[in-house]
Amino acid sequence: MAFQIKSFIASDGERFSQIYDDEGGFPLFYPTAYIARSKRLETEHETQKVYLAAIKRLCEWEVQKGVSLTVRFQKESSYFPMKFMS
């Protein structure tokens, strides 16, 4: 699965970006919510894109390792560093 960051300009001139996967055509929910609620008002658009690039790399890592951090967080699973090292 591939992920891409798309940037937009709203009608009021505000710039924003979102991460999309190649399957659905909808932005990923949690990264979009994170940027919109905690970073949008306090950082410039270019800085938001840096945050999204890091999240994109994490999403790619999840696919590569076959791990879903969202599911693990929802289940409150324990994390042991050795699970993710290999």
Side-chain angles (χ1 to χ4, degrees):
M1 177 183 308
F3 297 93
Q4 59 182 338
I5 298 172
K6 294 183 181 180
S7 296
F8 303 94
I9 301 174
S11 60
D12 64 355
E14 180 182 4
R15 296 174 185 274
F16 64 97
S17 296
Q18 299 172 323
I19 299 177
Y20 289 78
D21 63 13
D22 60 355
E23 292 180 355
F26 290 100
L28 300 181
F29 177 77
Y30 290 113
T32 300
Y34 172 70
I35 293 296
R37 305 204 98 207
S38 67
K39 297 298 173 195
R40 191 182 111 237
L41 297 177
E42 66 186 42
T43 59
E44 296 292 324
H45 180 240
E46 290 300 316
T47 305
Q48 293 172 27
K49 290 188 337 187
V50 171
Y51 280 98
L52 287 172
I55 294 169
K56 177 182 173 227
R57 286 191 298 276
L58 179 63
C59 292
E60 292 167 344
W61 176 85
E62 282 183 306
V63 170
Q64 179 187 23
K65 297 295 184 181
V67 174
S68 173
L69 295 178
T70 302
V71 170
R72 288 186 180 241
F73 288 140
Q74 289 171 346
K75 290 182 179 180
E76 298 179 20
S77 297
S78 298
Y79 290 97
F80 297 101
M82 297 312 286
K83 286 184 182 179
F84 300 118
M85 296 299 285
S86 56

mmCIF file of all heavy atoms in Angstrom, residues 30-66:
data_model
loop_
_atom_site.group_PDB
_atom_site.id
_atom_site.type_symbol
_atom_site.label_atom_id
_atom_site.label_comp_id
_atom_site.label_asym_id
_atom_site.label_seq_id
_atom_site.Cartn_x
_atom_site.Cartn_y
_atom_site.Cartn_z
ATOM 1 N N TYR A 30 -7.075 9.473 11.488
ATOM 2 C CA TYR A 30 -6.310 9.925 12.658
ATOM 3 C C TYR A 30 -5.235 10.966 12.322
ATOM 4 O O TYR A 30 -5.108 11.962 13.044
ATOM 5 C CB TYR A 30 -5.732 8.736 13.424
ATOM 6 C CG TYR A 30 -6.812 7.944 14.125
ATOM 7 C CD1 TYR A 30 -7.124 6.653 13.729
ATOM 8 C CD2 TYR A 30 -7.541 8.506 15.175
ATOM 9 C CE1 TYR A 30 -8.129 5.934 14.363
ATOM 10 C CE2 TYR A 30 -8.548 7.795 15.806
ATOM 11 C CZ TYR A 30 -8.839 6.510 15.399
ATOM 12 O OH TYR A 30 -9.839 5.800 16.027
ATOM 13 N N PRO A 31 -4.470 10.793 11.248
ATOM 14 C CA PRO A 31 -3.512 11.861 10.915
ATOM 15 C C PRO A 31 -4.197 13.192 10.579
ATOM 16 O O PRO A 31 -3.723 14.255 10.991
ATOM 17 C CB PRO A 31 -2.768 11.312 9.698
ATOM 18 C CG PRO A 31 -2.882 9.838 9.831
ATOM 19 C CD PRO A 31 -4.240 9.604 10.421
ATOM 20 N N THR A 32 -5.320 13.128 9.882
ATOM 21 C CA THR A 32 -6.050 14.348 9.545
ATOM 22 C C THR A 32 -6.578 15.026 10.807
ATOM 23 O O THR A 32 -6.456 16.245 10.971
ATOM 24 C CB THR A 32 -7.214 14.042 8.577
ATOM 25 O OG1 THR A 32 -6.664 13.477 7.377
ATOM 26 C CG2 THR A 32 -8.007 15.287 8.234
ATOM 27 N N ALA A 33 -7.143 14.242 11.710
ATOM 28 C CA ALA A 33 -7.662 14.792 12.960
ATOM 29 C C ALA A 33 -6.532 15.391 13.795
ATOM 30 O O ALA A 33 -6.698 16.467 14.384
ATOM 31 C CB ALA A 33 -8.395 13.713 13.751
ATOM 32 N N TYR A 34 -5.397 14.722 13.845
ATOM 33 C CA TYR A 34 -4.262 15.221 14.622
ATOM 34 C C TYR A 34 -3.794 16.586 14.103
ATOM 35 O O TYR A 34 -3.623 17.523 14.880
ATOM 36 C CB TYR A 34 -3.119 14.209 14.569
ATOM 37 C CG TYR A 34 -1.842 14.714 15.180
ATOM 38 C CD1 TYR A 34 -1.730 14.890 16.543
ATOM 39 C CD2 TYR A 34 -0.751 15.026 14.376
ATOM 40 C CE1 TYR A 34 -0.555 15.365 17.108
ATOM 41 C CE2 TYR A 34 0.425 15.496 14.930
ATOM 42 C CZ TYR A 34 0.519 15.665 16.293
ATOM 43 O OH TYR A 34 1.675 16.135 16.836
ATOM 44 N N ILE A 35 -3.595 16.684 12.807
ATOM 45 C CA ILE A 35 -3.135 17.948 12.230
ATOM 46 C C ILE A 35 -4.194 19.040 12.413
ATOM 47 O O ILE A 35 -3.879 20.162 12.807
ATOM 48 C CB ILE A 35 -2.771 17.776 10.738
ATOM 49 C CG1 ILE A 35 -1.542 16.871 10.591
ATOM 50 C CG2 ILE A 35 -2.554 19.123 10.056
ATOM 51 C CD1 ILE A 35 -0.263 17.427 11.190
ATOM 52 N N ALA A 36 -5.450 18.713 12.152
ATOM 53 C CA ALA A 36 -6.517 19.712 12.221
ATOM 54 C C ALA A 36 -6.749 20.215 13.642
ATOM 55 O O ALA A 36 -7.013 21.399 13.848
ATOM 56 C CB ALA A 36 -7.814 19.133 11.661
ATOM 57 N N ARG A 37 -6.628 19.338 14.619
ATOM 58 C CA ARG A 37 -6.966 19.735 15.983
ATOM 59 C C ARG A 37 -5.781 20.209 16.806
ATOM 60 O O ARG A 37 -5.960 21.000 17.717
ATOM 61 C CB ARG A 37 -7.652 18.581 16.699
ATOM 62 C CG ARG A 37 -8.870 18.117 15.891
ATOM 63 C CD ARG A 37 -9.874 17.441 16.684
ATOM 64 N NE ARG A 37 -10.905 18.431 17.014
ATOM 65 C CZ ARG A 37 -11.645 18.343 18.084
ATOM 66 N NH1 ARG A 37 -11.479 17.380 18.924
ATOM 67 N NH2 ARG A 37 -12.566 19.243 18.326
ATOM 68 N N SER A 38 -4.585 19.724 16.523
ATOM 69 C CA SER A 38 -3.491 20.095 17.418
ATOM 70 C C SER A 38 -2.371 20.887 16.750
ATOM 71 O O SER A 38 -1.589 21.512 17.454
ATOM 72 C CB SER A 38 -2.907 18.853 18.086
ATOM 73 O OG SER A 38 -2.274 18.033 17.148
ATOM 74 N N LYS A 39 -2.272 20.873 15.440
ATOM 75 C CA LYS A 39 -1.157 21.564 14.776
ATOM 76 C C LYS A 39 -1.581 22.700 13.858
ATOM 77 O O LYS A 39 -0.804 23.587 13.578
ATOM 78 C CB LYS A 39 -0.315 20.566 13.970
ATOM 79 C CG LYS A 39 0.351 19.509 14.813
ATOM 80 C CD LYS A 39 1.302 20.149 15.781
ATOM 81 C CE LYS A 39 1.862 19.148 16.767
ATOM 82 N NZ LYS A 39 2.488 19.801 17.907
ATOM 83 N N ARG A 40 -2.804 22.685 13.380
ATOM 84 C CA ARG A 40 -3.230 23.635 12.354
ATOM 85 C C ARG A 40 -3.075 25.090 12.774
ATOM 86 O O ARG A 40 -2.580 25.914 12.014
ATOM 87 C CB ARG A 40 -4.679 23.354 11.951
ATOM 88 C CG ARG A 40 -5.094 24.107 10.718
ATOM 89 C CD ARG A 40 -6.543 23.837 10.367
ATOM 90 N NE ARG A 40 -7.268 25.067 10.625
ATOM 91 C CZ ARG A 40 -8.299 25.188 11.428
ATOM 92 N NH1 ARG A 40 -8.776 24.163 12.060
ATOM 93 N NH2 ARG A 40 -8.876 26.344 11.604
ATOM 94 N N LEU A 41 -3.468 25.417 13.967
ATOM 95 C CA LEU A 41 -3.462 26.817 14.388
ATOM 96 C C LEU A 41 -2.114 27.286 14.910
ATOM 97 O O LEU A 41 -1.852 28.486 14.945
ATOM 98 C CB LEU A 41 -4.535 27.049 15.452
ATOM 99 C CG LEU A 41 -5.968 26.813 14.978
ATOM 100 C CD1 LEU A 41 -6.934 27.000 16.134
ATOM 101 C CD2 LEU A 41 -6.324 27.732 13.827
ATOM 102 N N GLU A 42 -1.257 26.359 15.314
ATOM 103 C CA GLU A 42 0.002 26.772 15.934
ATOM 104 C C GLU A 42 1.224 26.638 15.038
ATOM 105 O O GLU A 42 2.307 27.070 15.421
ATOM 106 C CB GLU A 42 0.232 25.990 17.228
ATOM 107 C CG GLU A 42 0.460 24.510 17.016
ATOM 108 C CD GLU A 42 0.547 23.739 18.318
ATOM 109 O OE1 GLU A 42 -0.241 24.004 19.224
ATOM 110 O OE2 GLU A 42 1.419 22.864 18.401
ATOM 111 N N THR A 43 1.087 26.047 13.864
ATOM 112 C CA THR A 43 2.244 25.867 12.993
ATOM 113 C C THR A 43 1.929 26.313 11.563
ATOM 114 O O THR A 43 0.778 26.356 11.149
ATOM 115 C CB THR A 43 2.698 24.387 12.946
ATOM 116 O OG1 THR A 43 1.620 23.588 12.460
ATOM 117 C CG2 THR A 43 3.123 23.885 14.302
ATOM 118 N N GLU A 44 2.992 26.618 10.840
ATOM 119 C CA GLU A 44 2.861 26.972 9.420
ATOM 120 C C GLU A 44 2.572 25.706 8.611
ATOM 121 O O GLU A 44 2.821 24.585 9.058
ATOM 122 C CB GLU A 44 4.160 27.599 8.924
ATOM 123 C CG GLU A 44 4.501 28.910 9.590
ATOM 124 C CD GLU A 44 3.538 30.018 9.228
ATOM 125 O OE1 GLU A 44 3.071 30.051 8.073
ATOM 126 O OE2 GLU A 44 3.258 30.857 10.099
ATOM 127 N N HIS A 45 2.079 25.913 7.407
ATOM 128 C CA HIS A 45 1.726 24.781 6.556
ATOM 129 C C HIS A 45 2.927 23.880 6.260
ATOM 130 O O HIS A 45 2.817 22.659 6.267
ATOM 131 C CB HIS A 45 1.098 25.282 5.253
ATOM 132 C CG HIS A 45 0.708 24.171 4.337
ATOM 133 N ND1 HIS A 45 1.230 24.048 3.074
ATOM 134 C CD2 HIS A 45 -0.115 23.118 4.503
ATOM 135 C CE1 HIS A 45 0.729 22.975 2.504
ATOM 136 N NE2 HIS A 45 -0.084 22.382 3.349
ATOM 137 N N GLU A 46 4.074 24.456 6.010
ATOM 138 C CA GLU A 46 5.265 23.643 5.721
ATOM 139 C C GLU A 46 5.642 22.765 6.915
ATOM 140 O O GLU A 46 6.072 21.629 6.750
ATOM 141 C CB GLU A 46 6.443 24.535 5.306
ATOM 142 C CG GLU A 46 6.262 25.180 3.947
ATOM 143 C CD GLU A 46 6.100 24.166 2.818
ATOM 144 O OE1 GLU A 46 6.857 23.183 2.789
ATOM 145 O OE2 GLU A 46 5.224 24.371 1.966
ATOM 146 N N THR A 47 5.477 23.286 8.114
ATOM 147 C CA THR A 47 5.748 22.499 9.319
ATOM 148 C C THR A 47 4.735 21.370 9.455
ATOM 149 O O THR A 47 5.095 20.247 9.835
ATOM 150 C CB THR A 47 5.722 23.398 10.573
ATOM 151 O OG1 THR A 47 6.629 24.477 10.386
ATOM 152 C CG2 THR A 47 6.085 22.621 11.823
ATOM 153 N N GLN A 48 3.492 21.629 9.141
ATOM 154 C CA GLN A 48 2.470 20.582 9.161
ATOM 155 C C GLN A 48 2.829 19.465 8.185
ATOM 156 O O GLN A 48 2.635 18.281 8.479
ATOM 157 C CB GLN A 48 1.106 21.164 8.812
ATOM 158 C CG GLN A 48 0.563 22.121 9.837
ATOM 159 C CD GLN A 48 -0.695 22.816 9.366
ATOM 160 O OE1 GLN A 48 -1.448 22.302 8.544
ATOM 161 N NE2 GLN A 48 -0.926 24.017 9.883
ATOM 162 N N LYS A 49 3.365 19.831 7.030
ATOM 163 C CA LYS A 49 3.771 18.813 6.052
ATOM 164 C C LYS A 49 4.919 17.960 6.583
ATOM 165 O O LYS A 49 4.997 16.771 6.268
ATOM 166 C CB LYS A 49 4.134 19.466 4.719
ATOM 167 C CG LYS A 49 2.910 20.014 4.018
ATOM 168 C CD LYS A 49 3.078 20.517 2.604
ATOM 169 C CE LYS A 49 4.362 20.940 2.099
ATOM 170 N NZ LYS A 49 4.335 21.557 0.768
ATOM 171 N N VAL A 50 5.793 18.533 7.397
ATOM 172 C CA VAL A 50 6.874 17.751 8.009
ATOM 173 C C VAL A 50 6.280 16.725 8.980
ATOM 174 O O VAL A 50 6.686 15.562 8.982
ATOM 175 C CB VAL A 50 7.886 18.672 8.725
ATOM 176 C CG1 VAL A 50 8.881 17.871 9.541
ATOM 177 C CG2 VAL A 50 8.601 19.556 7.721
ATOM 178 N N TYR A 51 5.316 17.145 9.793
ATOM 179 C CA TYR A 51 4.624 16.201 10.683
ATOM 180 C C TYR A 51 3.969 15.084 9.871
ATOM 181 O O TYR A 51 4.061 13.906 10.219
ATOM 182 C CB TYR A 51 3.555 16.918 11.511
ATOM 183 C CG TYR A 51 4.071 17.656 12.710
ATOM 184 C CD1 TYR A 51 4.296 19.026 12.663
ATOM 185 C CD2 TYR A 51 4.321 16.997 13.908
ATOM 186 C CE1 TYR A 51 4.761 19.719 13.763
ATOM 187 C CE2 TYR A 51 4.776 17.672 15.019
ATOM 188 C CZ TYR A 51 5.001 19.043 14.940
ATOM 189 O OH TYR A 51 5.461 19.720 16.038
ATOM 190 N N LEU A 52 3.287 15.453 8.800
ATOM 191 C CA LEU A 52 2.613 14.451 7.970
ATOM 192 C C LEU A 52 3.606 13.501 7.309
ATOM 193 O O LEU A 52 3.319 12.314 7.153
ATOM 194 C CB LEU A 52 1.735 15.125 6.916
ATOM 195 C CG LEU A 52 0.449 15.755 7.451
ATOM 196 C CD1 LEU A 52 -0.237 16.552 6.344
ATOM 197 C CD2 LEU A 52 -0.491 14.692 7.999
ATOM 198 N N ALA A 53 4.763 13.998 6.920
ATOM 199 C CA ALA A 53 5.779 13.123 6.320
ATOM 200 C C ALA A 53 6.246 12.071 7.325
ATOM 201 O O ALA A 53 6.438 10.904 6.969
ATOM 202 C CB ALA A 53 6.962 13.948 5.821
ATOM 203 N N ALA A 54 6.403 12.462 8.580
ATOM 204 C CA ALA A 54 6.793 11.502 9.617
ATOM 205 C C ALA A 54 5.680 10.478 9.847
ATOM 206 O O ALA A 54 5.948 9.273 9.975
ATOM 207 C CB ALA A 54 7.123 12.228 10.910
ATOM 208 N N ILE A 55 4.443 10.934 9.870
ATOM 209 C CA ILE A 55 3.304 10.017 10.038
ATOM 210 C C ILE A 55 3.211 9.088 8.837
ATOM 211 O O ILE A 55 2.924 7.891 8.987
ATOM 212 C CB ILE A 55 2.003 10.811 10.240
ATOM 213 C CG1 ILE A 55 2.062 11.578 11.559
ATOM 214 C CG2 ILE A 55 0.792 9.898 10.191
ATOM 215 C CD1 ILE A 55 0.955 12.594 11.743
ATOM 216 N N LYS A 56 3.464 9.600 7.650
ATOM 217 C CA LYS A 56 3.444 8.770 6.431
ATOM 218 C C LYS A 56 4.472 7.650 6.531
ATOM 219 O O LYS A 56 4.192 6.499 6.210
ATOM 220 C CB LYS A 56 3.726 9.642 5.205
ATOM 221 C CG LYS A 56 3.796 8.891 3.912
ATOM 222 C CD LYS A 56 4.133 9.825 2.755
ATOM 223 C CE LYS A 56 4.355 9.018 1.516
ATOM 224 N NZ LYS A 56 5.543 9.387 0.797
ATOM 225 N N ARG A 57 5.681 7.969 7.005
ATOM 226 C CA ARG A 57 6.712 6.940 7.173
ATOM 227 C C ARG A 57 6.277 5.895 8.186
ATOM 228 O O ARG A 57 6.531 4.698 8.016
ATOM 229 C CB ARG A 57 8.037 7.568 7.563
ATOM 230 C CG ARG A 57 8.718 8.275 6.403
ATOM 231 C CD ARG A 57 10.150 8.666 6.697
ATOM 232 N NE ARG A 57 10.285 9.610 7.790
ATOM 233 C CZ ARG A 57 10.172 10.934 7.680
ATOM 234 N NH1 ARG A 57 9.922 11.462 6.486
ATOM 235 N NH2 ARG A 57 10.327 11.716 8.723
ATOM 236 N N LEU A 58 5.606 6.323 9.244
ATOM 237 C CA LEU A 58 5.094 5.380 10.245
ATOM 238 C C LEU A 58 4.039 4.465 9.621
ATOM 239 O O LEU A 58 4.040 3.252 9.859
ATOM 240 C CB LEU A 58 4.504 6.131 11.437
ATOM 241 C CG LEU A 58 3.924 5.264 12.546
ATOM 242 C CD1 LEU A 58 5.007 4.399 13.189
ATOM 243 C CD2 LEU A 58 3.247 6.138 13.588
ATOM 244 N N CYS A 59 3.159 5.015 8.806
ATOM 245 C CA CYS A 59 2.133 4.206 8.121
ATOM 246 C C CYS A 59 2.779 3.184 7.182
ATOM 247 O O CYS A 59 2.342 2.030 7.117
ATOM 248 C CB CYS A 59 1.173 5.101 7.341
ATOM 249 S SG CYS A 59 0.121 6.145 8.365
ATOM 250 N N GLU A 60 3.815 3.601 6.473
ATOM 251 C CA GLU A 60 4.524 2.676 5.587
ATOM 252 C C GLU A 60 5.201 1.570 6.388
ATOM 253 O O GLU A 60 5.214 0.408 5.968
ATOM 254 C CB GLU A 60 5.539 3.443 4.741
ATOM 255 C CG GLU A 60 4.889 4.367 3.743
ATOM 256 C CD GLU A 60 5.841 5.374 3.115
ATOM 257 O OE1 GLU A 60 6.957 5.587 3.634
ATOM 258 O OE2 GLU A 60 5.438 5.967 2.099
ATOM 259 N N TRP A 61 5.757 1.916 7.550
ATOM 260 C CA TRP A 61 6.381 0.928 8.429
ATOM 261 C C TRP A 61 5.341 -0.087 8.905
ATOM 262 O O TRP A 61 5.608 -1.283 8.939
ATOM 263 C CB TRP A 61 7.033 1.637 9.613
ATOM 264 C CG TRP A 61 7.608 0.708 10.621
ATOM 265 C CD1 TRP A 61 8.834 0.127 10.610
ATOM 266 C CD2 TRP A 61 6.962 0.240 11.810
ATOM 267 N NE1 TRP A 61 8.996 -0.672 11.717
ATOM 268 C CE2 TRP A 61 7.859 -0.616 12.468
ATOM 269 C CE3 TRP A 61 5.707 0.470 12.369
ATOM 270 C CZ2 TRP A 61 7.540 -1.246 13.667
ATOM 271 C CZ3 TRP A 61 5.402 -0.151 13.558
ATOM 272 C CH2 TRP A 61 6.305 -0.994 14.196
ATOM 273 N N GLU A 62 4.142 0.397 9.272
ATOM 274 C CA GLU A 62 3.069 -0.501 9.715
ATOM 275 C C GLU A 62 2.748 -1.530 8.638
ATOM 276 O O GLU A 62 2.597 -2.716 8.930
ATOM 277 C CB GLU A 62 1.791 0.284 10.018
ATOM 278 C CG GLU A 62 1.774 1.005 11.316
ATOM 279 C CD GLU A 62 0.433 1.676 11.540
ATOM 280 O OE1 GLU A 62 -0.020 2.440 10.663
ATOM 281 O OE2 GLU A 62 -0.156 1.434 12.596
ATOM 282 N N VAL A 63 2.645 -1.079 7.396
ATOM 283 C CA VAL A 63 2.341 -1.990 6.290
ATOM 284 C C VAL A 63 3.479 -2.984 6.101
ATOM 285 O O VAL A 63 3.254 -4.183 5.946
ATOM 286 C CB VAL A 63 2.075 -1.198 4.985
ATOM 287 C CG1 VAL A 63 1.991 -2.123 3.789
ATOM 288 C CG2 VAL A 63 0.809 -0.379 5.124
ATOM 289 N N GLN A 64 4.699 -2.488 6.135
ATOM 290 C CA GLN A 64 5.867 -3.355 5.946
ATOM 291 C C GLN A 64 5.955 -4.432 7.017
ATOM 292 O O GLN A 64 6.252 -5.591 6.729
ATOM 293 C CB GLN A 64 7.136 -2.517 5.952
ATOM 294 C CG GLN A 64 8.404 -3.329 5.788
ATOM 295 C CD GLN A 64 9.651 -2.469 5.969
ATOM 296 O OE1 GLN A 64 9.614 -1.421 6.607
ATOM 297 N NE2 GLN A 64 10.748 -2.915 5.410
ATOM 298 N N LYS A 65 5.677 -4.083 8.266
ATOM 299 C CA LYS A 65 5.782 -5.024 9.385
ATOM 300 C C LYS A 65 4.503 -5.799 9.644
ATOM 301 O O LYS A 65 4.488 -6.730 10.446
ATOM 302 C CB LYS A 65 6.180 -4.283 10.671
ATOM 303 C CG LYS A 65 7.540 -3.638 10.605
ATOM 304 C CD LYS A 65 8.628 -4.682 10.487
ATOM 305 C CE LYS A 65 9.993 -4.030 10.514
ATOM 306 N NZ LYS A 65 11.078 -4.971 10.378
ATOM 307 N N GLY A 66 3.413 -5.421 8.989
ATOM 308 C CA GLY A 66 2.142 -6.108 9.220
ATOM 309 C C GLY A 66 1.557 -5.800 10.590
ATOM 310 O O GLY A 66 0.903 -6.650 11.199
#
